[in-house]
């Protein structure tokens, strides 16, 4: 079974790992210049580096659908620089998963594949997809919705280690991002993780820098540019999150259920 995932950020990568480990062929699409924060666990980095390994799985960049086809046949996750998803139909997927997490639908339709899954808010099961997987942290995270939509976006990050919005670092100004600290660095409140045109992006709490934009990224004031994990476990920077794993499990359940695979087991 072949699945194309729109998006290759950290949640989409968690989805890809669950599907790949279950024996599905996985191709992914993303921006030509990805803006992922948690770069150590994002297959989108294959577009930049040619190859990206997350945990024990390798993904490689594919410039064309033919190249992607070759990678898929050889059991390798293919990542295409194709933000509009124009190459998806050429791959003839059994399922399409929109895991861009834009909080709105950027063009996915229920007709894109026999099974279409929307991840998070912005989709309605039965209208623009066949099922939606909940991304809101809490009791319903990872559950499959076959009628209706996910919980609306609150614009407030979920709680991790007792902190929510404080975890997110935002660009202090418009300009070019200058990264000072690396992912995995242990930080304390007040440390400067980066600058934008000389203005500091200050760490808002103690913890581990779980994600940060790469040096030279154009940013705007208030743009999400870093992420601190207050639990002080450096290994969390290099493994997919509980959220990504839960959402990935929901996507796998939806695909297997809607394609009839679960009924034959």
């Amino acid at each position: 079974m072949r699945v194309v995932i729109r998006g290759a950020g950290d949640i989409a990568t968690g989805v890809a790992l669950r599907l790949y480990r279950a024996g599905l062929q996985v191709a992914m699409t993303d921006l030509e210049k990805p803006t992922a924060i948690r770069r150590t666990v994002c297959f989108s980095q294959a577009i930049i580096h040619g190859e990206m390994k997350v945990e024990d799985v390798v993904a490689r960049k594919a410039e064309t659908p033919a190249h992607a086809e070759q990678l898929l046949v050889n059991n390798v996750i293919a990542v295409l620089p194709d933000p509009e998803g124009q190459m998806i139909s050429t791959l003839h997927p059994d399922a399409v998963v929109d895991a861009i997490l834009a909080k709105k639908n950027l063009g996915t339709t229920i007709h894109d594949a026999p099974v279409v899954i929307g991840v998070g808010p912005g989709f309605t099961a039965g209208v623009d997809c066949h099922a939606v997987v909940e991304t809101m942290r809490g009791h319903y995270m990872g559950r499959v919705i076959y009628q209706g939509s996910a919980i609306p976006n609150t614009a407030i990050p979920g709680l991790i280690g007792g902190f929510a919005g404080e975890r997110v670092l935002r660009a202090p100004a418009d300009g070019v991002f200058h990264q000072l600290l690396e992912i995995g660095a242990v930080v304390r409140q007040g440390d400067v993780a980066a600058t934008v045109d000389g203005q500091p992006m200050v760490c808002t709490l103690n913890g581990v820098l779980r994600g940060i934009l790469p040096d030279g990224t154009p940013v705007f004031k208030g743009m999400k540019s870093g992420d601190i994990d207050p639990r002080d476990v450096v290994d969390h920077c290099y493994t997919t999150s509980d959220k990504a794993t839960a959402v990935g499990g929901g996507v796998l359940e939806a695909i297997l259920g809607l394609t009839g695979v679960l009924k034959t087991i």
Side-chain angles (χ1 to χ4, degrees), residues 24 52 62 71 76 102 105 112 132 147 169 171 202 225-226 229 235 240:
L24 282 62
M52 181 64 186
L71 291 172
V76 176
N105 189 337
D112 288 343
V132 177
Q147 289 186 333
L169 304 182
V202 178
S225 302
D229 189 333
D235 183 61
T240 56

Side-chain angles (χ1 to χ4, degrees), residues 70-83:
Q70 182 181 13
L71 291 172
L72 294 174
V73 169
N74 285 285
N75 200 33
V76 176
I77 294 176
V79 187
L80 298 99
D82 180 22

Side-chain angles (χ1 to χ4, degrees), residues 39 169 172 176-187 190-203 209 211-216 225:
R39 291 177 283 129
L169 304 182
V176 177
F177 191 80
H178 178 43
Q179 177 190 353
L180 297 178
L181 299 180
E182 297 292 336
I183 293 174
V186 176
V187 299
D191 288 351
V192 178
T195 61
V196 179
D197 286 354
Q199 297 192 42
M201 185 175 80
V202 178
C203 295
L209 190 63
I212 191 169
L213 288 174
D215 193 66
S225 302

Side-chain angles (χ1 to χ4, degrees), residues 127-193:
V127 177
D128 51 10
C129 60
H130 298 96
V132 177
V133 177
E134 182 60 67
T135 57
M136 179 71 75
R137 285 188 180 275
H139 185 75
Y140 298 105
M141 184 172 71
R143 291 177 185 257
V144 183
I145 301 163
Y146 294 101
Q147 289 186 333
S149 306
I151 297 170
N153 178 37
T154 64
I156 301 173
L159 282 172
I160 293 181
F163 295 92
E166 306 97 321
R167 297 187 295 104
V168 177
L169 304 182
R170 299 189 181 276
D174 298 343
V176 177
F177 191 80
H178 178 43
Q179 177 190 353
L180 297 178
L181 299 180
E182 297 292 336
I183 293 174
V186 176
V187 299
R188 292 293 174 259
Q189 186 175 3
D191 288 351
V192 178

Side-chain angles (χ1 to χ4, degrees), residues 10-11 13-15 17-18 21 55 141-142 239-252:
D10 60 311
I11 301 299
T13 297
V15 173
L17 288 176
R18 297 300 297 265
R21 288 169 174 157
E55 298 184 9
M141 184 172 71
T239 53
T240 56
S241 68
D242 54 345
K243 179 175 180 177
T245 300
V247 171
V251 171
L252 178 61

